[in-house]
PDB file of all heavy atoms in Angstrom:
ATOM      1  N   ILE X 166      97.691  74.376 111.623  1.00 82.00           N
ATOM      2  CA  ILE X 166      98.214  73.389 112.527  1.00 82.00           C
ATOM      3  C   ILE X 166      97.710  73.674 113.894  1.00 82.00           C
ATOM      4  O   ILE X 166      97.955  74.802 114.416  1.00 82.00           O
ATOM      5  CB  ILE X 166      99.761  73.302 112.492  1.00 82.00           C
ATOM      6  CG1 ILE X 166     100.322  73.142 111.092  1.00 82.00           C
ATOM      7  CG2 ILE X 166     100.299  72.247 113.423  1.00 82.00           C
ATOM      8  CD1 ILE X 166      99.960  71.826 110.436  1.00 82.00           C
ATOM      9  N   PRO X 167      96.987  72.777 114.522  1.00 81.00           N
ATOM     10  CA  PRO X 167      96.352  73.119 115.826  1.00 81.00           C
ATOM     11  C   PRO X 167      97.296  73.144 117.000  1.00 81.00           C
ATOM     12  O   PRO X 167      97.025  73.835 118.027  1.00 81.00           O
ATOM     13  CB  PRO X 167      95.318  72.002 115.997  1.00 81.00           C
ATOM     14  CG  PRO X 167      95.836  70.850 115.242  1.00 81.00           C
ATOM     15  CD  PRO X 167      96.590  71.420 114.085  1.00 81.00           C
ATOM     16  N   THR X 168      98.413  72.406 116.944  1.00 79.00           N
ATOM     17  CA  THR X 168      99.358  72.395 118.071  1.00 79.00           C
ATOM     18  C   THR X 168     100.734  71.922 117.569  1.00 79.00           C
ATOM     19  O   THR X 168     100.842  71.395 116.457  1.00 79.00           O
ATOM     20  CB  THR X 168      98.840  71.384 119.184  1.00 79.00           C
ATOM     21  OG1 THR X 168      99.702  71.533 120.324  1.00 79.00           O
ATOM     22  CG2 THR X 168      98.884  69.973 118.673  1.00 79.00           C
ATOM     23  N   ASP X 169     101.773  72.183 118.391  1.00 79.00           N
ATOM     24  CA  ASP X 169     103.085  71.797 117.991  1.00 79.00           C
ATOM     25  C   ASP X 169     103.149  70.229 117.970  1.00 79.00           C
ATOM     26  O   ASP X 169     102.499  69.519 118.727  1.00 79.00           O
ATOM     27  CB  ASP X 169     104.125  72.239 119.024  1.00 79.00           C
ATOM     28  CG  ASP X 169     104.275  73.759 118.975  1.00 79.00           C
ATOM     29  OD1 ASP X 169     103.588  74.438 118.177  1.00 79.00           O
ATOM     30  OD2 ASP X 169     105.103  74.286 119.752  1.00 79.00           O
ATOM     31  N   GLY X 170     103.943  69.690 116.992  1.00 84.00           N
ATOM     32  CA  GLY X 170     104.079  68.257 116.859  1.00 84.00           C
ATOM     33  C   GLY X 170     105.140  67.862 115.876  1.00 84.00           C
ATOM     34  O   GLY X 170     105.812  68.704 115.259  1.00 84.00           O
ATOM     35  N   ILE X 171     105.338  66.533 115.750  1.00 89.00           N
ATOM     36  CA  ILE X 171     106.323  65.932 114.787  1.00 89.00           C
ATOM     37  C   ILE X 171     105.549  65.240 113.707  1.00 89.00           C
ATOM     38  O   ILE X 171     104.628  64.422 113.968  1.00 89.00           O
ATOM     39  CB  ILE X 171     107.279  64.971 115.526  1.00 89.00           C
ATOM     40  CG1 ILE X 171     107.974  65.694 116.662  1.00 89.00           C
ATOM     41  CG2 ILE X 171     108.242  64.388 114.529  1.00 89.00           C
ATOM     42  CD1 ILE X 171     108.943  66.804 116.253  1.00 89.00           C
ATOM     43  N   ILE X 172     105.919  65.480 112.447  1.00 91.00           N
ATOM     44  CA  ILE X 172     105.280  64.827 111.277  1.00 91.00           C
ATOM     45  C   ILE X 172     105.661  63.335 111.309  1.00 91.00           C
ATOM     46  O   ILE X 172     106.805  62.977 111.299  1.00 91.00           O
ATOM     47  CB  ILE X 172     105.671  65.422 110.002  1.00 91.00           C
ATOM     48  CG1 ILE X 172     105.216  66.900 109.903  1.00 91.00           C
ATOM     49  CG2 ILE X 172     105.038  64.649 108.815  1.00 91.00           C
ATOM     50  CD1 ILE X 172     105.645  67.631 108.626  1.00 91.00           C
ATOM     51  N   VAL X 173     104.676  62.426 111.345  1.00 90.00           N
ATOM     52  CA  VAL X 173     104.906  61.010 111.270  1.00 90.00           C
ATOM     53  C   VAL X 173     104.494  60.444 109.913  1.00 90.00           C
ATOM     54  O   VAL X 173     104.894  59.309 109.535  1.00 90.00           O
ATOM     55  CB  VAL X 173     104.197  60.247 112.420  1.00 90.00           C
ATOM     56  CG1 VAL X 173     104.744  60.627 113.755  1.00 90.00           C
ATOM     57  CG2 VAL X 173     102.641  60.506 112.322  1.00 90.00           C
ATOM     58  N   SER X 174     103.718  61.208 109.119  1.00 88.00           N
ATOM     59  CA  SER X 174     103.340  60.748 107.801  1.00 88.00           C
ATOM     60  C   SER X 174     102.923  61.927 106.943  1.00 88.00           C
ATOM     61  O   SER X 174     102.228  62.861 107.451  1.00 88.00           O
ATOM     62  CB  SER X 174     102.172  59.737 107.864  1.00 88.00           C
ATOM     63  OG  SER X 174     101.705  59.402 106.582  1.00 88.00           O
ATOM     64  N   GLY X 175     103.373  61.967 105.685  1.00 88.00           N
ATOM     65  CA  GLY X 175     102.962  63.023 104.809  1.00 88.00           C
ATOM     66  C   GLY X 175     104.070  64.005 104.456  1.00 88.00           C
ATOM     67  O   GLY X 175     105.159  64.016 105.022  1.00 88.00           O
ATOM     68  N   TYR X 176     103.791  64.814 103.434  1.00 86.00           N
ATOM     69  CA  TYR X 176     104.746  65.871 102.966  1.00 86.00           C
ATOM     70  C   TYR X 176     103.966  67.044 102.525  1.00 86.00           C
ATOM     71  O   TYR X 176     102.928  66.949 101.838  1.00 86.00           O
ATOM     72  CB  TYR X 176     105.606  65.288 101.808  1.00 86.00           C
ATOM     73  CG  TYR X 176     106.342  66.386 101.058  1.00 86.00           C
ATOM     74  CD1 TYR X 176     107.551  66.875 101.544  1.00 86.00           C
ATOM     75  CD2 TYR X 176     105.828  66.925  99.887  1.00 86.00           C
ATOM     76  CE1 TYR X 176     108.217  67.890 100.883  1.00 86.00           C
ATOM     77  CE2 TYR X 176     106.498  67.948  99.206  1.00 86.00           C
ATOM     78  CZ  TYR X 176     107.707  68.403  99.725  1.00 86.00           C
ATOM     79  OH  TYR X 176     108.370  69.414  99.058  1.00 86.00           O
ATOM     80  N   SER X 177     104.403  68.278 102.879  1.00 87.00           N
ATOM     81  CA  SER X 177     103.655  69.466 102.521  1.00 87.00           C
ATOM     82  C   SER X 177     104.577  70.681 102.689  1.00 87.00           C
ATOM     83  O   SER X 177     105.758  70.560 103.078  1.00 87.00           O
ATOM     84  CB  SER X 177     102.420  69.620 103.375  1.00 87.00           C
ATOM     85  OG  SER X 177     101.658  70.739 102.997  1.00 87.00           O
ATOM     86  N   THR X 178     104.028  71.837 102.287  1.00 84.00           N
ATOM     87  CA  THR X 178     104.711  73.096 102.572  1.00 84.00           C
ATOM     88  C   THR X 178     103.890  73.859 103.612  1.00 84.00           C
ATOM     89  O   THR X 178     102.699  73.839 103.562  1.00 84.00           O
ATOM     90  CB  THR X 178     104.873  73.939 101.300  1.00 84.00           C
ATOM     91  OG1 THR X 178     103.541  74.187 100.793  1.00 84.00           O
ATOM     92  CG2 THR X 178     105.679  73.283 100.251  1.00 84.00           C
ATOM     93  N   LEU X 179     104.567  74.490 104.533  1.00 83.00           N
ATOM     94  CA  LEU X 179     103.914  75.223 105.610  1.00 83.00           C
ATOM     95  C   LEU X 179     104.308  76.689 105.566  1.00 83.00           C
ATOM     96  O   LEU X 179     105.532  76.999 105.402  1.00 83.00           O
ATOM     97  CB  LEU X 179     104.262  74.620 106.977  1.00 83.00           C
ATOM     98  CG  LEU X 179     103.390  73.549 107.479  1.00 83.00           C
ATOM     99  CD1 LEU X 179     103.527  72.264 106.652  1.00 83.00           C
ATOM    100  CD2 LEU X 179     103.716  73.173 108.909  1.00 83.00           C
ATOM    101  N   ASN X 180     103.325  77.558 105.721  1.00 75.00           N
ATOM    102  CA  ASN X 180     103.609  79.021 105.815  1.00 75.00           C
ATOM    103  C   ASN X 180     103.998  79.286 107.277  1.00 75.00           C
ATOM    104  O   ASN X 180     103.140  79.279 108.179  1.00 75.00           O
ATOM    105  CB  ASN X 180     102.377  79.818 105.390  1.00 75.00           C
ATOM    106  CG  ASN X 180     102.661  81.235 105.317  1.00 75.00           C
ATOM    107  OD1 ASN X 180     103.503  81.784 106.052  1.00 75.00           O
ATOM    108  ND2 ASN X 180     101.928  81.955 104.499  1.00 75.00           N
ATOM    109  N   GLN X 181     105.251  79.502 107.519  1.00 63.00           N
ATOM    110  CA  GLN X 181     105.779  79.717 108.843  1.00 63.00           C
ATOM    111  C   GLN X 181     106.171  81.191 109.117  1.00 63.00           C
ATOM    112  O   GLN X 181     106.931  81.455 110.027  1.00 63.00           O
ATOM    113  CB  GLN X 181     107.022  78.814 109.157  1.00 63.00           C
ATOM    114  CG  GLN X 181     106.747  77.354 109.143  1.00 63.00           C
ATOM    115  CD  GLN X 181     107.884  76.529 109.650  1.00 63.00           C
ATOM    116  OE1 GLN X 181     107.695  75.473 110.235  1.00 63.00           O
ATOM    117  NE2 GLN X 181     109.083  76.996 109.454  1.00 63.00           N
ATOM    118  N   ALA X 182     105.686  82.067 108.262  1.00 54.00           N
ATOM    119  CA  ALA X 182     106.121  83.484 108.354  1.00 54.00           C
ATOM    120  C   ALA X 182     105.837  84.066 109.767  1.00 54.00           C
ATOM    121  O   ALA X 182     106.656  84.879 110.272  1.00 54.00           O
ATOM    122  CB  ALA X 182     105.400  84.344 107.332  1.00 54.00           C
ATOM    123  N   ALA X 183     104.766  83.575 110.366  1.00 45.00           N
ATOM    124  CA  ALA X 183     104.427  84.151 111.720  1.00 45.00           C
ATOM    125  C   ALA X 183     105.401  83.716 112.782  1.00 45.00           C
ATOM    126  O   ALA X 183     105.618  84.376 113.792  1.00 45.00           O
ATOM    127  CB  ALA X 183     103.030  83.697 112.108  1.00 45.00           C
ATOM    128  N   ILE X 184     106.067  82.551 112.544  1.00 45.00           N
ATOM    129  CA  ILE X 184     106.931  82.025 113.571  1.00 45.00           C
ATOM    130  C   ILE X 184     108.396  82.440 113.358  1.00 45.00           C
ATOM    131  O   ILE X 184     109.122  82.888 114.226  1.00 45.00           O
ATOM    132  CB  ILE X 184     106.884  80.485 113.599  1.00 45.00           C
ATOM    133  CG1 ILE X 184     105.434  80.045 113.875  1.00 45.00           C
ATOM    134  CG2 ILE X 184     107.801  79.876 114.694  1.00 45.00           C
ATOM    135  CD1 ILE X 184     104.884  80.468 115.207  1.00 45.00           C
ATOM    136  N   THR X 185     108.862  82.268 112.103  1.00 43.00           N
ATOM    137  CA  THR X 185     110.269  82.487 111.777  1.00 43.00           C
ATOM    138  C   THR X 185     110.563  83.800 111.042  1.00 43.00           C
ATOM    139  O   THR X 185     111.751  84.176 110.912  1.00 43.00           O
ATOM    140  CB  THR X 185     110.817  81.329 110.921  1.00 43.00           C
ATOM    141  OG1 THR X 185     110.107  81.308 109.677  1.00 43.00           O
ATOM    142  CG2 THR X 185     110.586  79.969 111.645  1.00 43.00           C
ATOM    143  N   GLY X 186     109.517  84.390 110.460  1.00 40.00           N
ATOM    144  CA  GLY X 186     109.776  85.622 109.658  1.00 40.00           C
ATOM    145  C   GLY X 186     110.057  85.292 108.213  1.00 40.00           C
ATOM    146  O   GLY X 186     110.301  86.198 107.413  1.00 40.00           O
ATOM    147  N   GLU X 187     110.109  83.985 107.891  1.00 49.00           N
ATOM    148  CA  GLU X 187     110.437  83.612 106.498  1.00 49.00           C
ATOM    149  C   GLU X 187     109.185  83.957 105.624  1.00 49.00           C
ATOM    150  O   GLU X 187     108.105  83.552 105.928  1.00 49.00           O
ATOM    151  CB  GLU X 187     110.706  82.095 106.401  1.00 49.00           C
ATOM    152  CG  GLU X 187     111.978  81.672 107.167  1.00 49.00           C
ATOM    153  CD  GLU X 187     112.015  80.157 107.266  1.00 49.00           C
ATOM    154  OE1 GLU X 187     111.234  79.592 108.085  1.00 49.00           O
ATOM    155  OE2 GLU X 187     112.811  79.535 106.608  1.00 49.00           O
ATOM    156  N   SER X 188     109.479  84.615 104.483  1.00 55.00           N
ATOM    157  CA  SER X 188     108.382  85.000 103.674  1.00 55.00           C
ATOM    158  C   SER X 188     107.869  83.883 102.731  1.00 55.00           C
ATOM    159  O   SER X 188     106.729  83.891 102.296  1.00 55.00           O
ATOM    160  CB  SER X 188     108.766  86.174 102.783  1.00 55.00           C
ATOM    161  OG  SER X 188     109.885  85.881 101.965  1.00 55.00           O
ATOM    162  N   LEU X 189     108.732  82.893 102.499  1.00 63.00           N
ATOM    163  CA  LEU X 189     108.327  81.779 101.625  1.00 63.00           C
ATOM    164  C   LEU X 189     107.940  80.552 102.433  1.00 63.00           C
ATOM    165  O   LEU X 189     108.493  80.285 103.515  1.00 63.00           O
ATOM    166  CB  LEU X 189     109.484  81.392 100.688  1.00 63.00           C
ATOM    167  CG  LEU X 189     109.863  82.459  99.644  1.00 63.00           C
ATOM    168  CD1 LEU X 189     111.090  82.027  98.891  1.00 63.00           C
ATOM    169  CD2 LEU X 189     108.692  82.726  98.699  1.00 63.00           C
ATOM    170  N   PRO X 190     106.968  79.768 101.948  1.00 76.00           N
ATOM    171  CA  PRO X 190     106.605  78.553 102.650  1.00 76.00           C
ATOM    172  C   PRO X 190     107.763  77.543 102.733  1.00 76.00           C
ATOM    173  O   PRO X 190     108.678  77.581 101.874  1.00 76.00           O
ATOM    174  CB  PRO X 190     105.472  77.944 101.769  1.00 76.00           C
ATOM    175  CG  PRO X 190     104.917  79.153 101.044  1.00 76.00           C
ATOM    176  CD  PRO X 190     106.079  80.022 100.814  1.00 76.00           C
TER     177      PRO X 190
END
Side-chain angles (χ1 to χ4, degrees):
I166 305 295
T168 187
D169 292 0
I171 303 294
I172 298 177
V173 294
S174 175
Y176 165 81
S177 185
T178 58
L179 271 68
N180 186 330
Q181 295 191 149
I184 304 297
T185 64
E187 298 168 286
S188 59
L189 294 175

